[in-house]
Amino acid sequence: MELSVIVPVYKEERNVPEFLRRVRPILQNCVKDFEIIFCLDPSPDRTQEVILEERAKDPAIKLLSFSRRFGQPMATLGGLSYARGDAVIVMDVDLQGPPELITEMVAQWKAGYDVVVAQRRTRTGEPLLKCVLANVAYRVINKIANVEIPPNTGDFRLMTRRVVEEINRLKEGHGFLRGMVAVVGFRQALVPFDRPARFSGETHYNRFVGSLRIGFNGIFCFSTYALSLCTQMGFLIAGVSFLVALVYLVMKLMGAPITLGHPTIVILVLFMGGIQLISIGILGEYVGRIYEEVKQRLKFIVD
């Protein structure tokens, strides 16, 4: 098998036919043989029926259905586990990652690159707040993480067989594909594009809360900087407290009047309490992820 295409889906019955209409001719022109693996979180609509109808007409289409909803990251990892291609492309069914980029991705692969990543120049149809948060998140992650993740990229990418095998060997359970690919390494190329709006419907993956969760995974799973930040804040506050005490001492020795009131105490207590809660919260984020990793639960279960 020369190329596998992994497509996570959930409640996408209207997008599947159009996706296949656009993708199949491109794949037929690029490679000799291919497979399209739909990785389905059980949906209340007719997504599964639509895929099976297409499968009856084309054996290159395959369906990987899970026992329950595991989410897009785990669905993607499931597809990577079952893909047989010499190269694997991960893309969404909503056509926000234009299938026409596959041609250039395959060309870059045949030119010797192991990872070819689609990089967004613009984001049509997305709220300004989400775009701003995404840009900030990528800057923060690349500033503090132990690996470098190209900004304005998603899971839409091509990976060679050896990259996929190394990702499958990773035992991390968060499913943050962008970070996992960065950990694996190898030669990478970027393919810029302007991201269009969804073909149909609204996304059921990676809404605002989901995007935040993915961002936190990028920060906490690939960097310990937040823990160091707690220590730095502690030393900073201790230093400020020492300076305040020194000022009061000097004022006392010089006979200056010192007014200590209830507002000052309240402000200091609230400030210290806030710093402590932030520090405990950061520790909790790391401990929670340690807890999830130690359990070693299955990332997905195939139905």
Side-chain angles (χ1 to χ4, degrees):
M1 183 66 64
E2 190 170 3
L3 184 64
S4 299
V5 179
I6 306 300
V7 190
V9 287
Y10 176 70
K11 296 174 66 173
E12 297 284 3
E13 62 177 336
R14 290 185 291 175
N15 286 326
V16 169
E18 178 65 17
F19 173 83
L20 290 173
R21 187 189 69 80
R22 288 179 57 179
V23 166
R24 271 185 294 204
I26 295 171
L27 294 175
Q28 290 167 352
N29 290 331
C30 287
V31 293
K32 296 178 181 178
D33 58 343
F34 61 88
E35 61 181 359
I36 302 174
I37 305 177
F38 288 99
C39 304
L40 174 68
D41 274 336
S43 303
D45 64 355
R46 295 188 67 256
T47 301
Q48 179 168 328
E49 288 78 3
V50 171
I51 295 173
L52 290 176
E53 290 170 3
E54 296 290 343
R55 160 70 177 170
K57 295 181 286 187
D58 185 354
I61 298 171
K62 301 177 182 179
L63 174 63
L64 189 65
S65 180
F66 302 108
S67 61
R68 63 172 177 85
R69 187 178 181 188
F70 285 90
Q72 184 183 21
M74 296 302 108
T76 301
L77 293 182
L80 293 178
S81 298
Y82 281 83
R84 298 184 296 118
D86 297 328
V88 178
I89 291 177
V90 176
M91 62 188 304
D92 292 330
V93 74
D94 58 15
L95 298 173
Q96 286 189 289
E100 290 72 22
L101 291 180
I102 292 176
T103 302
E104 187 170 354
M105 286 180 164
V106 171
Q108 294 283 12
W109 163 41
K110 293 183 176 180
Y113 288 96
D114 292 286
V115 179
V116 185
V117 183
Q119 186 176 47
R120 297 179 289 256
R121 284 186 296 235
T122 59
R123 295 167 172 251
T124 303
E126 291 193 3
L128 177 61
L129 177 60
K130 183 176 180 180
C131 295
V132 172
L133 288 177
N135 287 329
V136 171
Y138 277 111
R139 290 179 181 273
V140 171
I141 291 172
N142 282 327
K143 187 72 174 178
I144 68 176
N146 301 322
V147 295
E148 184 175 353
I149 301 173
N152 294 319
T153 58
D155 290 345
F156 187 20
R157 62 191 61 215
L158 178 147
M159 298 167 285
T160 59
R161 168 51 49 187
R162 64 173 178 170
V163 173
V164 172
E165 289 178 352
E166 293 300 331
I167 291 174
N168 289 337
R169 288 176 56 194
L170 295 178
K171 299 185 182 301
E172 302 176 34
H174 50 75
F176 186 57
L177 184 63
R178 280 155 272 187
M180 297 170 77
V181 172
V183 167
V184 169
F186 296 113
R187 293 187 65 196
Q188 299 193 13
L190 297 175
V191 176
F193 74 102
D194 296 310
R195 186 180 188 182
R198 281 178 59 89
F199 172 73
S200 174
E202 297 181 357
T203 179
H204 301 284
Y205 280 130
N206 296 346
R207 293 179 184 235
F208 184 74
V209 175
S211 298
L212 285 179
R213 187 180 298 112
I214 291 174
F216 285 147
N217 281 335
I219 293 173
F220 295 122
C221 295
F222 295 92
S223 171
T224 58
Y225 179 81
L227 291 173
S228 302
L229 185 62
C230 292
T231 304
Q232 294 169 13
M233 287 192 299
F235 278 113
L236 177 62
I237 294 171
V240 171
S241 301
F242 177 78
L243 290 176
V244 171
L246 185 62
V247 170
Y248 278 130
L249 177 61
V250 172
M251 293 175 63
K252 184 69 175 178
L253 293 176
M254 295 179 63
I258 300 176
T259 303
L260 297 176
H262 179 69
T264 304
I265 296 175
V266 170
I267 291 171
L268 290 175
V269 170
L270 290 176
F271 179 68
M272 289 299 300
I275 293 297
Q276 290 172 344
L277 288 174
I278 291 173
S279 301
I280 293 172
I282 292 174
L283 287 172
E285 292 287 346
Y286 282 102
V287 171
R289 282 162 176 78
I290 293 171
Y291 174 65
E292 292 294 332
E293 296 291 344
V294 167
K295 286 187 295 186
Q296 289 289 294
R297 285 182 178 171
L298 295 175
K299 299 176 184 177
F300 56 88
I301 299 173
V302 175
D303 184 19

